[in-house]
Amino acid sequence: MTESGSTPVDLKTDIPHSARLYDYYLGGKDNFPVDREAAEKVIAAAPEAPLMARENRGFMHRAVGHLTSEGGIRQFLDIGTGIPTSPNLHEVAQGTAPDARVVYTDNDPIVLVHARALLAGTPQGRIAYLDADVRDPVGILASSEVRDCLDLTQPVALCLVSILHFIADDDDPYGIVRTLVDALAPGSYLVLSHATTDTQARGVSDVVSTYGRSSSSLTVRSNSQIMAFFDGLDMLEPGLTLVPAWRPTGDLPKGHELVWIAGGVGRLP
């Protein structure tokens, strides 16, 4: 586990970072002028960006809540954690199942600074933080953090929430997901959301251009391309949908049809 105070952390405040942009959309304070400038460019091109961030977060909450309460899942591997925003995944899971175990994984320097904030769960459960890149799935699976905190012979919920659209085709995102899923026990789940081209959203190309000048370029994929991440899995109802429409607990928010992030949950037979 990397302790935030053990070595100097280069926050690279001269380059916009995707985690800090996301924090800005959610109304957070863990961002810098360069991030706010980039985020405002994104919002100018896609005014729905803050709504998308909130709804993506809501999708994660509902998916984790369902898997904990209805699916009996007690283990979660969250890759691409981002800056802590309460309620965090472990708060949702442990709110229902205090013995739930969570491994958070990220490689963004701003997240390292906040790592200790993540490590505050229930006495019955366990939380670990791993400094690693999703592009190294073998390393993630072999890490002491994963091996000590999770039992991979038992079902695990693998959460890849709005991370894979930051992985270019050249980095083989499908191979990454397959490596991770293949290591899981039957009865495990994949929780995934991803920016989609299958909407009438405007300004997507400008958003992609802005992210191209940040720490992480953005690759937007079609719903059929996103569904390919779930190959071999049984999709939970309602399948792959725009994230506001995945098992909403109330009325859909105004402007929900403008959201261009799709999400779904698949079960490993």
Side-chain angles (χ1 to χ4, degrees):
M1 177 170 55
T2 299
E3 293 291 341
S4 59
S6 60
T7 58
V9 176
D10 182 6
L11 297 182
K12 300 180 180 178
T13 58
D14 58 333
I15 302 173
H17 274 252
S18 57
R20 300 194 303 246
L21 268 66
Y22 194 68
D23 176 72
Y24 182 83
Y25 304 145
L26 290 171
K29 305 299 182 183
D30 295 305
N31 46 71
F32 297 97
V34 67
D35 307 305
R36 295 190 282 274
E37 180 181 354
E40 286 297 339
K41 288 180 180 179
V42 169
I43 293 171
E48 63 274 12
L51 174 64
M52 289 168 58
R54 293 193 300 270
E55 289 302 311
N56 184 61
R57 198 77 186 158
F59 161 74
M60 184 273 284
H61 292 160
R62 295 192 302 277
V64 169
H66 172 77
L67 293 183
T68 307
S69 61
E70 302 296 329
I73 295 297
R74 296 295 181 267
Q75 303 188 105
F76 296 84
L77 175 56
D78 181 31
I79 302 179
T81 298
I83 295 171
T85 304
S86 187
N88 292 296
L89 187 152
H90 75 273
E91 294 172 309
V92 175
Q94 293 180 349
T96 297
D99 60 336
R101 298 182 172 203
V102 179
V103 176
Y104 288 114
T105 304
D106 208 296
N107 72 330
D108 193 289
I110 192 71
V111 179
L112 296 180
V113 172
H114 292 281
R116 290 182 180 179
L118 290 170
L119 302 175
T122 61
Q124 304 96 315
R126 290 187 63 184
I127 300 176
Y129 182 86
L130 173 63
D131 176 16
D133 195 313
V134 67
R135 297 173 183 85
D136 181 22
V138 173
I140 290 173
L141 293 168
S143 69
S144 59
E145 288 84 355
V146 168
R147 294 294 174 175
D148 291 346
C149 189
L150 306 180
D151 179 359
L152 297 184
T153 68
Q154 298 298 315
V156 174
L158 169 64
C159 300
L160 298 171
V161 178
S162 282
I163 181 65
L164 292 174
H165 48 229
F166 295 121
I167 306 301
D169 291 337
D170 289 346
D171 288 318
D172 190 16
Y174 298 100
I176 290 170
V177 174
R178 180 50 51 199
T179 297
L180 292 166
V181 170
D182 283 350
L184 303 181
S188 294
Y189 291 86
L190 172 62
V191 179
L192 184 148
S193 64
H194 193 296
T196 176
T197 59
D198 287 25
T199 68
Q200 300 301 313
R202 296 173 293 179
V204 176
S205 61
D206 289 336
V207 173
V208 170
S209 177
T210 298
Y211 271 92
R213 296 186 292 274
S214 76
S215 63
S216 304
S217 60
L218 185 66
T219 300
V220 185
R221 297 182 171 95
S222 67
N223 280 5
S224 61
Q225 290 174 311
I226 298 169
M227 273 300 301
F229 289 116
F230 292 98
D231 282 354
L233 305 182
D234 298 327
M235 296 297 291
L236 271 60
E237 292 294 336
L240 184 72
T241 69
L242 294 181
V243 287
W246 197 91
R247 303 195 177 199
T249 56
D251 294 337
L252 294 177
K254 182 179 179 181
H256 66 89
E257 68 281 357
L258 298 177
V259 170
W260 39 281
I261 297 179
V265 179
R267 183 179 186 274
L268 182 63

